[in-house]
Short mmCIF file of all heavy atoms in Angstrom, two decimals:
data_model
loop_
_atom_site.label_atom_id
_atom_site.label_comp_id
_atom_site.label_asym_id
_atom_site.label_seq_id
_atom_site.Cartn_x
_atom_site.Cartn_y
_atom_site.Cartn_z
N ILE B 203 -30.77 -17.92 -62.59
CA ILE B 203 -31.76 -18.99 -62.28
C ILE B 203 -31.13 -20.25 -61.76
O ILE B 203 -31.84 -21.17 -61.32
CB ILE B 203 -32.60 -19.27 -63.57
CG1 ILE B 203 -31.78 -19.99 -64.63
CG2 ILE B 203 -33.22 -18.01 -64.12
CD1 ILE B 203 -32.61 -20.53 -65.78
N GLN B 204 -29.80 -20.32 -61.80
CA GLN B 204 -29.15 -21.60 -61.58
C GLN B 204 -29.28 -22.09 -60.10
O GLN B 204 -29.19 -23.26 -59.85
CB GLN B 204 -27.68 -21.51 -61.94
CG GLN B 204 -27.54 -20.91 -63.34
CD GLN B 204 -26.94 -21.86 -64.35
OE1 GLN B 204 -26.66 -23.05 -64.04
NE2 GLN B 204 -26.78 -21.39 -65.56
N SER B 205 -29.53 -21.11 -59.21
CA SER B 205 -29.51 -21.59 -57.84
C SER B 205 -30.84 -22.36 -57.47
O SER B 205 -30.83 -23.14 -56.60
CB SER B 205 -29.40 -20.40 -56.88
OG SER B 205 -30.51 -19.52 -56.97
N TYR B 206 -31.90 -22.05 -58.17
CA TYR B 206 -33.17 -22.73 -57.77
C TYR B 206 -33.70 -23.69 -58.83
O TYR B 206 -34.62 -24.44 -58.54
CB TYR B 206 -34.23 -21.68 -57.36
CG TYR B 206 -34.54 -20.64 -58.40
CD1 TYR B 206 -35.50 -20.91 -59.41
CD2 TYR B 206 -33.87 -19.44 -58.48
CE1 TYR B 206 -35.77 -20.00 -60.33
CE2 TYR B 206 -34.17 -18.50 -59.43
CZ TYR B 206 -35.13 -18.79 -60.36
OH TYR B 206 -35.39 -17.86 -61.33
N MET B 207 -33.14 -23.69 -60.03
CA MET B 207 -33.64 -24.60 -61.08
C MET B 207 -33.44 -26.04 -60.68
O MET B 207 -34.34 -26.88 -60.92
CB MET B 207 -32.93 -24.29 -62.40
CG MET B 207 -33.50 -23.12 -63.10
SD MET B 207 -35.27 -23.23 -63.53
CE MET B 207 -35.21 -24.40 -64.89
N THR B 208 -32.26 -26.38 -60.20
CA THR B 208 -32.07 -27.80 -59.81
C THR B 208 -32.95 -28.20 -58.64
O THR B 208 -33.58 -29.27 -58.75
CB THR B 208 -30.55 -28.04 -59.56
OG1 THR B 208 -29.81 -27.47 -60.62
CG2 THR B 208 -30.25 -29.52 -59.49
N PRO B 209 -33.09 -27.39 -57.62
CA PRO B 209 -34.05 -27.73 -56.60
C PRO B 209 -35.51 -27.90 -57.16
O PRO B 209 -36.19 -28.85 -56.78
CB PRO B 209 -34.01 -26.56 -55.62
CG PRO B 209 -32.58 -26.08 -55.72
CD PRO B 209 -32.22 -26.28 -57.18
N LEU B 210 -35.93 -27.03 -58.04
CA LEU B 210 -37.29 -27.16 -58.65
C LEU B 210 -37.40 -28.44 -59.43
O LEU B 210 -38.40 -29.20 -59.35
CB LEU B 210 -37.54 -26.04 -59.66
CG LEU B 210 -37.81 -24.61 -59.12
CD1 LEU B 210 -38.29 -23.77 -60.24
CD2 LEU B 210 -38.75 -24.64 -57.96
N HIS B 211 -36.32 -28.75 -60.19
CA HIS B 211 -36.34 -29.99 -61.01
C HIS B 211 -36.38 -31.22 -60.12
O HIS B 211 -37.14 -32.15 -60.42
CB HIS B 211 -35.15 -29.96 -61.91
CG HIS B 211 -34.96 -31.29 -62.63
ND1 HIS B 211 -35.83 -31.74 -63.59
CD2 HIS B 211 -34.01 -32.27 -62.52
CE1 HIS B 211 -35.41 -32.95 -64.04
NE2 HIS B 211 -34.30 -33.27 -63.38
N ALA B 212 -35.62 -31.21 -59.06
CA ALA B 212 -35.60 -32.39 -58.19
C ALA B 212 -36.99 -32.62 -57.61
O ALA B 212 -37.46 -33.78 -57.52
CB ALA B 212 -34.58 -32.22 -57.09
N LEU B 213 -37.66 -31.53 -57.25
CA LEU B 213 -39.03 -31.66 -56.76
C LEU B 213 -40.00 -32.17 -57.80
O LEU B 213 -40.82 -33.05 -57.55
CB LEU B 213 -39.53 -30.32 -56.14
CG LEU B 213 -38.82 -29.86 -54.87
CD1 LEU B 213 -39.19 -28.46 -54.52
CD2 LEU B 213 -39.14 -30.85 -53.73
N ALA B 214 -39.91 -31.62 -58.97
CA ALA B 214 -40.81 -32.01 -60.09
C ALA B 214 -40.63 -33.51 -60.38
O ALA B 214 -41.58 -34.25 -60.52
CB ALA B 214 -40.50 -31.17 -61.34
N GLN B 215 -39.35 -33.89 -60.42
CA GLN B 215 -39.08 -35.28 -60.69
C GLN B 215 -39.61 -36.23 -59.67
O GLN B 215 -39.96 -37.38 -59.93
CB GLN B 215 -37.55 -35.43 -60.78
CG GLN B 215 -37.12 -36.50 -61.69
CD GLN B 215 -35.59 -36.63 -61.68
OE1 GLN B 215 -34.94 -36.45 -60.61
NE2 GLN B 215 -35.01 -36.92 -62.80
N ALA B 216 -39.68 -35.72 -58.43
CA ALA B 216 -40.20 -36.54 -57.36
C ALA B 216 -41.72 -36.44 -57.27
O ALA B 216 -42.35 -36.98 -56.34
CB ALA B 216 -39.63 -36.11 -56.02
N GLY B 217 -42.34 -35.78 -58.24
CA GLY B 217 -43.79 -35.72 -58.29
C GLY B 217 -44.41 -34.46 -57.75
O GLY B 217 -45.63 -34.38 -57.54
N TYR B 218 -43.55 -33.48 -57.54
CA TYR B 218 -44.04 -32.23 -56.99
C TYR B 218 -43.71 -31.03 -57.85
O TYR B 218 -42.90 -30.13 -57.47
CB TYR B 218 -43.48 -32.00 -55.58
CG TYR B 218 -43.72 -33.14 -54.63
CD1 TYR B 218 -42.67 -33.95 -54.22
CD2 TYR B 218 -45.03 -33.42 -54.18
CE1 TYR B 218 -42.93 -35.02 -53.30
CE2 TYR B 218 -45.26 -34.49 -53.25
CZ TYR B 218 -44.19 -35.25 -52.85
OH TYR B 218 -44.41 -36.28 -52.02
N PRO B 219 -44.28 -30.93 -59.02
CA PRO B 219 -43.95 -29.76 -59.87
C PRO B 219 -44.47 -28.48 -59.26
O PRO B 219 -45.48 -28.46 -58.57
CB PRO B 219 -44.64 -30.09 -61.20
CG PRO B 219 -45.75 -31.02 -60.82
CD PRO B 219 -45.28 -31.79 -59.64
N ALA B 220 -43.78 -27.34 -59.60
CA ALA B 220 -44.15 -26.04 -59.10
C ALA B 220 -45.14 -25.42 -60.05
O ALA B 220 -45.07 -25.61 -61.29
CB ALA B 220 -42.92 -25.15 -59.00
N GLN B 221 -46.07 -24.68 -59.51
CA GLN B 221 -47.02 -23.96 -60.37
C GLN B 221 -46.65 -22.51 -60.45
O GLN B 221 -46.67 -21.91 -61.55
CB GLN B 221 -48.40 -24.09 -59.79
CG GLN B 221 -49.45 -23.24 -60.47
CD GLN B 221 -50.77 -23.97 -60.55
OE1 GLN B 221 -50.89 -25.03 -61.16
NE2 GLN B 221 -51.76 -23.40 -59.89
N ARG B 222 -46.37 -21.84 -59.31
CA ARG B 222 -46.09 -20.43 -59.31
C ARG B 222 -44.93 -20.16 -58.40
O ARG B 222 -44.77 -20.77 -57.31
CB ARG B 222 -47.28 -19.63 -58.88
CG ARG B 222 -48.48 -19.86 -59.74
CD ARG B 222 -49.50 -18.76 -59.62
NE ARG B 222 -50.09 -18.61 -58.29
CZ ARG B 222 -50.92 -17.69 -57.92
NH1 ARG B 222 -51.31 -16.75 -58.82
NH2 ARG B 222 -51.43 -17.66 -56.68
N LEU B 223 -44.06 -19.22 -58.83
CA LEU B 223 -42.89 -18.85 -58.10
C LEU B 223 -42.77 -17.32 -57.98
O LEU B 223 -42.94 -16.64 -59.00
CB LEU B 223 -41.64 -19.28 -58.78
CG LEU B 223 -41.27 -20.76 -58.84
CD1 LEU B 223 -39.99 -20.90 -59.72
CD2 LEU B 223 -40.99 -21.28 -57.48
N ILE B 224 -42.49 -16.84 -56.80
CA ILE B 224 -42.07 -15.45 -56.69
C ILE B 224 -40.64 -15.48 -56.20
O ILE B 224 -40.32 -16.09 -55.16
CB ILE B 224 -43.01 -14.66 -55.79
CG1 ILE B 224 -44.30 -14.40 -56.56
CG2 ILE B 224 -42.35 -13.33 -55.36
CD1 ILE B 224 -45.38 -13.66 -55.82
N VAL B 225 -39.74 -14.86 -56.97
CA VAL B 225 -38.29 -14.94 -56.69
C VAL B 225 -37.70 -13.54 -56.58
O VAL B 225 -37.97 -12.73 -57.43
CB VAL B 225 -37.57 -15.66 -57.88
CG1 VAL B 225 -36.10 -15.76 -57.64
CG2 VAL B 225 -38.16 -17.07 -58.06
N THR B 226 -36.93 -13.34 -55.53
CA THR B 226 -36.13 -12.11 -55.49
C THR B 226 -34.68 -12.49 -55.37
O THR B 226 -34.30 -13.28 -54.49
CB THR B 226 -36.56 -11.29 -54.24
OG1 THR B 226 -37.94 -10.91 -54.38
CG2 THR B 226 -35.70 -10.02 -54.07
N THR B 227 -33.89 -11.96 -56.28
CA THR B 227 -32.48 -12.33 -56.30
C THR B 227 -31.58 -11.19 -55.76
O THR B 227 -31.93 -10.01 -55.82
CB THR B 227 -31.95 -12.65 -57.71
OG1 THR B 227 -31.95 -11.41 -58.49
CG2 THR B 227 -32.79 -13.71 -58.41
N MET B 228 -30.49 -11.62 -55.17
CA MET B 228 -29.45 -10.66 -54.72
C MET B 228 -28.19 -11.13 -55.44
O MET B 228 -27.53 -12.07 -55.05
CB MET B 228 -29.30 -10.71 -53.21
CG MET B 228 -30.61 -10.22 -52.51
SD MET B 228 -30.63 -10.44 -50.77
CE MET B 228 -30.95 -12.20 -50.64
N GLN B 229 -27.82 -10.42 -56.53
CA GLN B 229 -26.80 -10.91 -57.44
C GLN B 229 -25.48 -10.21 -57.31
O GLN B 229 -25.38 -9.05 -57.01
CB GLN B 229 -27.30 -10.81 -58.86
CG GLN B 229 -28.63 -11.60 -59.07
CD GLN B 229 -29.12 -11.68 -60.52
OE1 GLN B 229 -30.30 -11.74 -60.73
NE2 GLN B 229 -28.23 -11.65 -61.47
N ALA B 230 -24.41 -11.02 -57.54
CA ALA B 230 -23.05 -10.53 -57.39
C ALA B 230 -22.64 -9.64 -58.60
O ALA B 230 -23.19 -9.77 -59.68
CB ALA B 230 -22.12 -11.73 -57.34
N VAL B 231 -21.69 -8.78 -58.31
CA VAL B 231 -21.25 -7.86 -59.38
C VAL B 231 -20.55 -8.51 -60.52
O VAL B 231 -20.53 -8.02 -61.64
CB VAL B 231 -20.40 -6.70 -58.81
CG1 VAL B 231 -21.21 -5.83 -57.82
CG2 VAL B 231 -19.12 -7.24 -58.11
#
Side-chain angles (χ1 to χ4, degrees):
Chain B
I203 68 172
Q204 310 245 1
S205 66
Y206 56 87
M207 281 300 285
T208 311
L210 289 191
H211 170 67
L213 290 171
Q215 209 183 35
Y218 304 112
Q221 173 143 297
R222 301 200 296 176
L223 287 178
I224 287 180
V225 178
T226 297
T227 67
M228 295 173 284
Q229 301 187 211
V231 296

